Amino acid sequence: MHGLPKIELHCHLDGSLRVATVLDIARKEGIELPTYHLTELKHALIAPEECTSLADYLQCFALPNAVMQSKESLKRITFELFEDAAKENVKYLEVRFGPQLHTMKGLTLEEVIQSVIDGLKLAEARYEIKGNIILSCLRSMSVESAFEVVESGKSFLGKGVVAIDLCAIEEDGFCTRFVEPIALAREYGYHVTIHAGETGSSQNVLDAVDMLGAERIGHGVFIKDDPIVYQRVKEQQIVLEMCPTSNVQTKAVLNYQEHPFYLFHQDGIKVTMNTDNRTVSHTTMTNEWEIMEQLFTVDKQMYQMIYETSVQAAFATQAIKEWCLSQYPPTIH
Ligand SMILES: [Zn+2]
């Protein structure tokens, strides 16, 4: 699995920091950490294998955000994420983050976004990897703050920023609140992907598509229990960004065996494989695929089909998509 080319469309920057980097930045910037011992810090950054809920899982993001408050650290953390991805043959990576989480020490939203783009460009220059950025609006924040994110990223569209996202705690019917900011985002030219059907409500998936114009859905696990929504997702070929380990941790599914990734694919639903959070979920793309491979029959045809689905669903230019497709079938190293 490690050697195969990969595409990742759902990865949160603040969930994917190297533990040593958290320690290093905290020391340099005088940031207080609960522990300065690498192994202990690792435990504080990785969510337990089974959290009690998504809320529990989200607790693990407070600590990383403390060291993501300067231009240098944002650039470094982004670069390192792309570096880690490139080393396991990820060819294209879309990274998402909430700009407002990184303004605690005075950075403007624009400076936050520019710093992340700087890290991305540096990695693209050094490694055989391409990428883009998705701006996340937190549903726990106000609708006004979603408008701010949309406005702050406008001038970066086509220069690294490609899409808008809604994430964090998922309540039934959340889409209604965000119709206007997401409509404005679409008008500006953002693509739209929405976290939905991650913690219970399958109706949220349809709402995200119908009310917000979502082109892709983050997770969508819960469509499995709703035949009507399931059928729509299947018929409309709505692409799901699935993240098995994260779903096991947040109790969206009981265990990997119960995860619908494989069954969805077998039944013609468009699925893609993602890590969600490399550090908080203590995983990689290679690991996610190896877990699936151990439990189900993952053959070359399935892998290639999902690779191609991921490329087609990427918010990338046609030229980048063609380059990604040219990476498959892989050359033997
Ligand atoms: Zn996510």
Side-chain angles (χ1 to χ4, degrees):
M1 279 298 168
H2 183 270
L4 292 174
K6 301 170 185 71
I7 306 289
E8 181 167 18
L9 304 178
H10 190 127
C11 182
H12 295 262
L13 185 62
D14 58 355
S16 305
L17 282 70
R18 291 181 192 165
V19 180
T21 298
V22 175
L23 202 56
D24 191 43
I25 295 173
R27 285 205 173 111
K28 281 180 184 153
E29 297 187 3
I31 293 158
E32 203 177 318
L33 293 178
T35 173
Y36 292 86
H37 189 277
L38 198 68
T39 313
E40 285 172 16
L41 186 60
K42 196 174 169 187
H43 287 300
L45 290 168
I46 297 172
E49 210 155 284
E50 289 186 19
C51 304
T52 54
S53 65
L54 177 62
D56 204 9
Y57 180 80
L58 293 174
Q59 291 292 327
C60 288
F61 293 86
L63 195 55
N65 277 326
V67 299
M68 300 174 77
Q69 303 297 331
S70 69
K71 290 181 189 176
E72 302 70 37
S73 63
L74 284 165
K75 180 179 172 184
R76 171 180 173 179
I77 288 161
T78 308
F79 172 78
E80 290 179 351
L81 169 54
F82 274 89
E83 185 174 60
D84 292 345
K87 287 183 176 171
E88 61 160 348
N89 284 306
V90 173
K91 298 299 175 190
Y92 175 80
L93 170 62
E94 286 179 6
V95 171
R96 61 187 75 197
F97 63 99
Q100 278 136 335
L101 296 173
H102 310 293
T103 57
M104 280 158 51
K105 290 190 177 167
L107 290 184
T108 64
L109 295 176
E110 287 77 6
E111 285 172 328
V112 171
I113 296 167
Q114 184 62 58
S115 305
V116 173
I117 291 175
D118 289 346
L120 156 65
K121 296 295 172 198
L122 186 62
E124 283 184 333
R126 291 207 191 156
Y127 294 99
E128 267 205 4
I129 188 167
K130 309 278 181 214
N132 275 310
I133 285 161
I134 298 171
L135 301 181
S136 293
C137 307
L138 276 74
R139 289 185 280 237
S140 49
M141 290 183 176
S142 66
V143 172
E144 192 49 46
S145 74
F147 275 111
E148 282 171 21
V149 173
V150 171
E151 293 294 347
S152 67
K154 190 183 174 189
S155 62
F156 298 98
L157 282 166
K159 297 172 190 159
V161 171
V162 288
I164 200 89
D165 165 45
L166 291 175
C167 69
I169 294 297
E170 182 184 350
E171 289 169 356
D172 289 1
F174 73 85
C175 293
T176 314
R177 285 174 63 215
F178 293 96
V179 165
E180 288 183 20
I182 302 299
L184 182 68
R186 287 204 314 274
E187 199 181 307
Y188 286 167
Y190 285 86
H191 287 286
V192 179
T193 176
I194 304 285
H195 282 72
E198 181 183 9
T199 58
S201 168
S202 54
Q203 184 58 40
N204 282 347
V205 173
L206 283 195
D207 288 353
V209 172
D210 294 338
M211 297 167 73
L212 305 178
E215 296 157 77
R216 304 192 319 230
I217 293 293
H219 302 284
V221 176
F222 279 85
I223 68 164
K224 68 183 169 55
D225 303 324
D226 186 332
I228 294 169
V229 177
Y230 184 88
Q231 204 51 37
R232 274 278 307 278
V233 170
K234 188 175 166 179
E235 275 167 15
Q236 280 185 237
Q237 296 281 280
I238 295 159
V239 173
L240 304 182
E241 305 157 359
M242 305 212 86
C243 316
T245 295
S246 171
N247 297 146
V248 171
Q249 286 174 307
T250 62
K251 292 273 201 298
V253 291
L254 279 176
N255 51 48
Y256 289 105
Q257 193 76 47
E258 302 272 310
H259 198 280
F261 180 85
Y262 185 76
L263 286 178
F264 280 4
H265 169 74
Q266 292 296 103
D267 196 40
I269 298 258
K270 294 267 184 190
V271 295
T272 64
M273 180 68 95
N274 307 274
T275 64
D276 207 11
N277 297 285
R278 285 166 179 257
T279 306
V280 175
S281 286
H282 192 40
T283 194
T284 58
M285 286 292 287
T286 305
N287 184 51
E288 293 298 307
W289 272 112
E290 283 177 351
I291 290 166
M292 284 298 124
E293 202 180 24
Q294 281 161 22
L295 294 173
F296 306 102
T297 315
V298 178
D299 57 17
K300 274 183 188 168
Q301 194 192 5
M302 172 179 175
Y303 188 91
Q304 183 169 357
M305 201 184 274
I306 291 173
Y307 182 88
E308 287 172 3
T309 295
S310 306
V311 173
Q312 283 152 11
F315 299 142
T317 61
Q318 199 52 39
I320 288 180
K321 288 186 183 197
E322 278 165 23
W323 178 78
C324 290
L325 290 174
S326 75
Q327 303 298 306
Y328 209 101
T331 46
I332 306 299
H333 294 288

